[in-house]
Amino acid sequence: MPKFPLLHISFVFLFFFSVNLKAQEELKSNSADTLQVDSGEVHSVSKATWLSTALPGAGQYYNRAYWKMPIIYGGLGACIYMAIDNHQSYRRYLDAFFLRIDSNATATDQYLNIYSERELIELQNIYRDWRDLAIIIGAVVWALNVVDAHVDAHLYDYNVNDDLSLRVEPNMFFVNNLPAVGLRLRLNLQ
């Protein structure tokens, strides 16, 4: 019985057990499926950030993330609506309180037998706090809009391909200046 050197056995073992694992099915690429980026125009991160800072949603438009624009405008619109509505309620109760404490007022108090002076003050505080909270949430939505445009511009040229594969193959490398055999894992992100 002939003796095979350990190196030959390792190569035979690795040859038979090297496999090509696919993470997704292989697709035939045609020009309609691939994402084409204009090579002449460089996508600017600072332009997307400044556009989104100046006009919310403009950075998303520049990044061609059109689906995000209604979300941004919906969030900002809801915050603006809540701030205006709560400010109007705050002013209504504040004016009613001033009419009540002013002895020379000619107008009548619409909440005369409904709320006491203490309740009018509490209602003012509640609506003022809600108005301020709507303004703060609006500022957070605006800031998230800017951050999203900035991050999306950084990832604009990132290659998102359907061909993700992991290949296990034999490899020869050196350990302490001596040849050794092992496996190499290669991730294909083409």
Side-chain angles (χ1 to χ4, degrees):
M1 182 167 165
K3 292 186 176 183
F4 290 106
L6 184 59
L7 186 59
H8 290 122
I9 294 173
S10 298
F11 278 130
V12 171
F13 177 80
L14 291 175
F15 177 76
F16 285 116
F17 291 101
S18 66
V19 293
N20 189 8
L21 303 173
K22 290 282 186 178
Q24 298 174 353
E25 284 187 28
E26 194 169 320
L27 296 175
K28 293 182 180 178
S29 67
N30 47 8
S31 62
D33 293 337
T34 59
L35 177 64
Q36 302 264 338
V37 178
D38 295 335
S39 60
E41 181 183 335
V42 177
H43 197 76
S44 172
V45 175
S46 63
K47 185 175 181 179
T49 305
W50 284 110
L51 281 171
S52 194
T53 302
L55 179 66
Q60 282 73 15
Y61 181 82
Y62 177 72
N63 291 332
R64 296 183 181 158
Y66 306 115
W67 65 273
K68 294 179 183 179
M69 293 173 61
I71 296 170
I72 293 167
Y73 287 129
L76 289 174
C79 290
I80 290 170
Y81 171 77
M82 293 303 293
I84 291 171
D85 186 50
N86 287 318
H87 180 71
Q88 289 173 347
S89 297
Y90 164 71
R91 289 298 307 179
R92 186 172 49 244
Y93 292 119
L94 181 65
D95 292 342
F97 176 73
F98 284 146
L99 282 175
R100 186 152 314 163
I101 63 171
D102 187 13
S103 61
N104 296 331
T106 58
T108 59
D109 182 9
Q110 63 181 347
Y111 302 113
L112 186 59
N113 294 325
I114 301 171
Y115 297 121
S116 67
E117 290 178 9
R118 184 173 186 273
E119 290 171 334
L120 287 174
I121 292 171
E122 286 181 26
L123 287 169
Q124 291 173 41
N125 291 336
I126 289 170
Y127 284 107
R128 185 182 57 233
D129 290 345
W130 286 353
R131 177 200 61 193
D132 295 346
L133 181 63
I135 292 169
I136 290 169
I137 291 173
V140 168
V141 169
W142 174 79
L144 288 175
N145 154 59
V146 174
V147 169
D148 175 67
H150 183 81
V151 170
D152 200 22
H154 270 291
L155 298 175
Y156 184 78
D157 293 326
Y158 186 72
N159 185 9
V160 181
N161 195 349
D162 290 335
D163 183 23
L164 297 175
S165 62
L166 178 67
R167 184 171 173 87
V168 181
E169 54 190 28
N171 187 26
M172 187 166 170
F173 55 94
F174 292 93
V175 176
N176 295 331
N177 293 327
L178 297 173
V181 178
L183 291 176
R184 176 172 54 180
L185 299 175
R186 205 168 64 179
L187 182 63
N188 185 15
L189 298 174
Q190 293 179 356

